[in-house]
Amino acid sequence: WTIAAILAVYLAITGISSMIGGRLFPIPDQASTEQEETKPAPTLEEFFRANWTSILPPETQAQKPKVGSEVGRHLKEAQSLAEKKMFREAMNSVNVAIAVPNKTPYEEFIIREFLAYVALNLGDYATAAQAYEETLDSSFLAADQYAKRLKTVIQLYYQEKNYAQVKKFGRLYLDKHGYNAEILVLMAQADYIQKDYASAAKWTSTLIDQSDGKVEEDWLRLLMSCYHNLRQRNEVIATLTKLLELYPTTAYWKDMISYLNASPKISDRV
């Protein structure tokens, strides 16, 4: 099992999963426990049908924005190369389009969509994250697509281990859209990886407290690991008690007995 299993990663183009183990209660990498089928990247036709028609708000569609001939020529070349799986060459064409001067806002938006698509196929998640980030404030991104796009940006930055951006956009997501388990998990994981156990415990506690009783075992294990690293024995025992209530196992009973028999000062060897 893995905390990463909570991530129902929204990416129209590719699936992404990533995980880090804990210290006291290691959380195994997803790849070692779950073999997921790798989905083939969609064709550009599928990509644009799934994204552009749903991204453009109705009032913008009515205006029928157009791509100029110069930008369009380079993007058409990028499209042709991408369809042949020649993504590095396609990226060169996208970069030429980026260099075209005096582009319209719509052209900038379309270029960022192309850029993200090609970057994802190249495994360049940093470039894809930046490209998608730059579309967040575009008038061509429909309001009902904003939350999904913002979540994708957060997930891509997490994949790239850019935890400062994960926290920045994670807070933005929570401020705008409220509770979201996937985002809170990423926030907690980002802090845990950076050994900010107090902040990780705060986000995980929020995740659990606002879950309407649907508490995942992985969340409790992460919280318990945070408390262990913070040397908060009573909180570890309280979290173990919750684990035994919801997910009783012999291993958790052994952990509980160890804690109850141990000195109040938690040993690093536990």
Side-chain angles (χ1 to χ4, degrees), residues 10 12 42 44-55 145:
Y10 169 76
L44 278 177
E45 181 181 355
E46 293 169 336
F47 172 70
F48 292 135
R49 186 187 308 120
N51 289 274
W52 287 8
T53 56
S54 60
I55 284 172
Q145 294 294 317

Side-chain angles (χ1 to χ4, degrees), residues 10-254:
Y10 169 76
L11 282 177
I13 299 89
T14 185
I16 294 177
S17 61
S18 178
M19 185 51 214
I20 183 163
R23 179 177 296 176
L24 174 61
F25 304 100
I27 303 170
D29 186 88
Q30 186 173 7
S32 66
T33 56
E34 300 177 11
Q35 295 297 325
E36 297 184 355
E37 293 184 3
T38 301
K39 296 181 180 180
T43 65
L44 278 177
E45 181 181 355
E46 293 169 336
F47 172 70
F48 292 135
R49 186 187 308 120
N51 289 274
W52 287 8
T53 56
S54 60
I55 284 172
L56 291 176
E59 62 274 15
T60 304
Q61 292 184 36
Q63 295 170 7
K64 296 182 179 179
K66 298 183 182 297
V67 173
S69 59
E70 187 172 5
V71 170
R73 176 164 54 87
H74 299 304
L75 293 185
K76 184 176 181 180
E77 182 179 71
Q79 176 180 351
S80 177
L81 290 165
E83 288 173 345
K84 298 173 184 176
K85 309 298 183 184
M86 299 171 65
F87 294 111
R88 293 194 182 281
E89 294 80 359
M91 181 62 79
N92 292 335
S93 295
V94 173
N95 286 330
V96 174
I98 291 173
V100 172
N102 303 317
K103 293 184 293 293
T104 67
Y106 181 67
E107 288 174 333
E108 294 283 7
F109 178 78
I110 296 302
I111 287 173
R112 293 299 174 274
E113 294 291 314
F114 261 100
L115 179 61
Y117 173 80
V118 176
L120 284 168
N121 277 280
L122 289 171
D124 185 355
Y125 301 132
T127 296
Q130 181 66 34
Y132 276 145
E133 178 187 338
E134 291 173 358
T135 69
L136 288 174
D137 295 326
S138 173
S139 62
F140 300 104
L141 183 65
D144 62 358
Q145 294 294 317
Y146 180 86
K148 193 177 291 185
R149 176 59 56 89
L150 180 56
K151 184 185 291 187
T152 298
V153 169
I154 296 166
Q155 292 161 340
L156 285 168
Y157 277 131
Y158 183 87
Q159 179 73 13
E160 281 299 296
K161 299 181 174 61
N162 190 336
Y163 302 123
Q165 293 294 79
V166 170
K167 295 179 72 172
K168 172 185 174 181
F169 288 104
R171 288 192 181 95
L172 177 63
Y173 188 101
L174 297 174
D175 288 343
K176 284 181 173 288
H177 305 288
Y179 176 89
N180 183 284
E182 297 173 25
I183 300 303
L184 284 166
V185 166
L186 291 177
M187 299 280 281
Q189 283 290 104
D191 280 329
Y192 189 93
I193 293 166
Q194 297 177 100
K195 300 184 179 180
D196 187 350
Y197 302 119
S199 184
K202 182 191 75 172
W203 292 120
T204 309
S205 294
T206 300
L207 175 67
I208 293 169
D209 293 343
Q210 298 183 21
S211 64
D212 294 328
K214 300 176 182 178
V215 180
E216 297 287 339
E217 182 179 7
D218 298 347
W219 304 349
L220 291 168
R221 287 175 63 93
L222 177 60
L223 182 61
M224 184 166 57
S225 186
C226 290
Y227 286 144
H228 170 77
N229 283 289
L230 291 168
R231 304 296 188 264
Q232 295 181 4
R233 179 176 182 269
N234 291 339
E235 285 75 9
V236 171
I237 292 174
T239 308
L240 261 174
T241 299
K242 191 68 174 178
L243 274 166
L244 285 168
E245 290 175 358
L246 299 176
Y247 305 99
T249 66
T250 301
Y252 292 148
W253 277 114
K254 289 181 178 179

